[in-house]
Amino acid sequence: MDQHSSNAWIETVPTLTHFAQVGDASLYAPLPDSWYLGLSDVSDSTEAIASGNYKAINLAGAGTISSVTNALEGGLELFAFGGDGAHFAASPDQETATASALDGVRSWAKHELGLTLRVAMIGVADVRAAGFDVRVAFWQASNNVRYAMFTGGGLQWAEAQMKSGAISLPTSLTTQEPDLSGLSCQWGPVESRNGKIVSLIVKRGPGATDASFADATTQIVALLDETASSNPVPLAGPDVSWPSAAFELQSRIRRSSLPHWWRKAKVVCTAAVIWIIFKLGIRMGTFIPDEYRRELAANTDFRKFNDGLMLTVDCSAETIARLQQALDMAARTGTIRYGLHAQSKALITCVAPSVTDVGHMHFVDGAGGGYASAAKQLRK
């Protein structure tokens, strides 16, 4: 399948307009057998969480998306951020560039962030031969951004294969520097306005049918909508605060032969200019800071479906209690398995190649372990 036919096929992928539909597998399109799944995962996330370094984990996950997107010159459309990693689908003509980008971001994560990033690719045909499927759809998060959703169990199976060491990309002796243009972590943590930031993962249970699992996810989404539990990022966008906590990580996004103190000084100077522009609302040509912040809130991926429901939402204590009760009830019947982790703040990691492009993407996770902690509970 060449690039032209790949683009043509992607345009046939359904776009969901109501998030409650995400559990209905019949609304997804099967990924072609000739395509590949790409995956990444930070293997030592528990230690990083314990040391308060979860933002670096998020940066490694978003860095995967940034590296592959740039290697494909913006040609990556089917991808999802998972907190401590990412996954995506690539067409046959994208295989070589994708593998090189994954190898590069793995090396960068090790040298600059001190993290071990597992990376792997596997053919969709191989996933189906193992008895699983890969189906995709888009969720229209805003007028300007859509995110890919995955179902069929294939993604979950492939991730388990990667974590067990059954599949992986060999380390290249000529690893190329990853292009992480647009990757940023300069927004500060977002405080909960309702009570707690809940990171929730809901997977299909052993006793579930297609219909019962879809019904369970629909009920969970409806409960959160009913209680106005929503995007942790306010509609007006995140607060404009001095991003001192992000300087160290931001200085490590681009590897360089320059001394680290010089790279960090450059980051501080750039951040100062950006902070003044946003703090004072200085309009620069077509760029309007307050409008960008509103777009940022609308473009976040605070809810998604990747072989299961993944949500980072701002909830009251009463809503958390109701949510826990509904989850426990569905779990007792074997319809779902779930992991839930609550914390006081959320993190934002951005992939925004240009401030003038309204399609800037922002990945949201809980600041106190987020999806990685929820996944740990899920495994228990």
Side-chain angles (χ1 to χ4, degrees), residues 14-19 22 79 137-149 231 235 294-305 358-364:
T15 297
L16 309 181
T17 55
H18 300 287
F19 191 75
V22 294
F79 61 85
F138 285 112
W139 159 241
Q140 194 72 45
S142 71
N143 292 333
N144 304 312
V145 168
R146 61 182 186 176
Y147 290 108
M149 310 282 128
N231 190 345
L235 289 176
R294 288 191 293 270
E295 289 171 353
L296 187 158
N299 291 359
T300 57
D301 74 332
F302 73 99
R303 51 184 182 175
K304 50 202 162 191
F305 192 94
V358 293
H360 45 95
M361 300 173 293
H362 306 276
F363 305 113
V364 179

Side-chain angles (χ1 to χ4, degrees), residues 50-356:
S51 63
N53 200 27
Y54 194 55
K55 196 172 182 68
I57 294 176
N58 279 183
L59 193 65
T64 302
I65 296 170
S66 175
S67 177
V68 176
T69 297
N70 289 329
L72 301 180
E73 299 180 347
L76 183 68
E77 295 202 51
L78 299 172
F79 61 85
F81 170 74
D84 58 353
H87 45 259
F88 56 88
S91 61
D93 60 292
Q94 296 173 331
E95 178 191 6
T96 301
T98 295
S100 178
L102 283 175
D103 185 42
V105 78
R106 170 173 54 189
S107 175
W108 165 77
K110 186 68 174 178
H111 289 95
E112 293 295 335
L113 305 180
L115 298 174
T116 300
L117 187 70
R118 292 179 284 221
V119 295
M121 290 183 69
I122 187 170
V124 172
D126 294 328
V127 175
R128 291 199 171 108
F132 300 90
D133 197 9
V134 186
R135 302 175 67 86
V136 295
F138 285 112
W139 159 241
Q140 194 72 45
S142 71
N143 292 333
N144 304 312
V145 168
R146 61 182 186 176
Y147 290 108
M149 310 282 128
F150 295 81
T151 193
L155 198 63
Q156 183 173 301
W157 175 81
E159 185 175 34
Q161 295 299 298
M162 177 181 68
K163 289 181 177 180
S164 71
I167 60 172
S168 66
L169 277 179
T171 302
S172 171
L173 296 176
T174 57
T175 298
Q176 294 185 1
E177 185 77 13
D179 181 359
L180 300 175
S181 302
L183 179 64
S184 171
C185 61
Q186 295 202 57
W187 291 101
V190 180
E191 297 273 357
S192 169
R193 305 179 306 282
N194 296 330
K196 290 289 185 180
I197 304 295
V198 170
S199 300
L200 175 64
I201 302 175
V202 180
K203 297 286 188 178
R204 181 170 175 154
T209 63
D210 289 348
S212 65
F213 182 58
D215 185 56
T217 58
T218 299
Q219 288 184 36
I220 292 166
V221 172
L223 187 157
L224 293 171
D225 285 345
E226 173 196 334
T227 56
S229 302
S230 59
N231 190 345
V233 183
L235 289 176
D239 291 337
V240 181
S241 56
W242 181 243
S244 56
F247 290 156
E248 179 64 28
L249 285 179
Q250 192 69 29
S251 69
R252 295 184 177 277
I253 286 178
R254 292 188 179 181
R255 292 173 64 182
S256 171
S257 59
L258 295 173
H260 183 252
W261 66 266
W262 176 262
R263 293 157 60 188
K264 194 168 181 178
K266 185 177 179 181
V267 165
V268 173
C269 292
T270 302
V273 173
I274 295 173
W275 181 81
I276 291 170
I277 290 171
F278 276 98
K279 194 70 175 177
L280 301 181
I282 300 172
R283 180 169 180 164
M284 301 182 67
T286 59
F287 177 71
I288 306 172
D290 288 347
E291 187 174 306
Y292 183 91
R293 290 170 59 216
R294 288 191 293 270
E295 289 171 353
L296 187 158
N299 291 359
T300 57
D301 74 332
F302 73 99
R303 51 184 182 175
K304 50 202 162 191
F305 192 94
N306 302 312
D307 275 344
L309 204 57
M310 297 183 69
L311 305 171
T312 298
V313 284
D314 192 355
C315 300
S316 66
E318 180 185 359
T319 297
I320 294 174
R322 288 182 59 189
L323 180 62
Q324 191 87 55
Q325 184 178 31
L327 291 166
D328 287 341
M329 186 178 298
R332 281 195 294 270
T333 65
T335 303
I336 68 165
R337 298 178 298 116
Y338 77 92
L340 183 153
H341 182 71
Q343 55 252 288
S344 61
K345 301 175 184 178
L347 296 175
I348 306 172
T349 309
C350 312
V351 175
S354 169
V355 294
T356 59

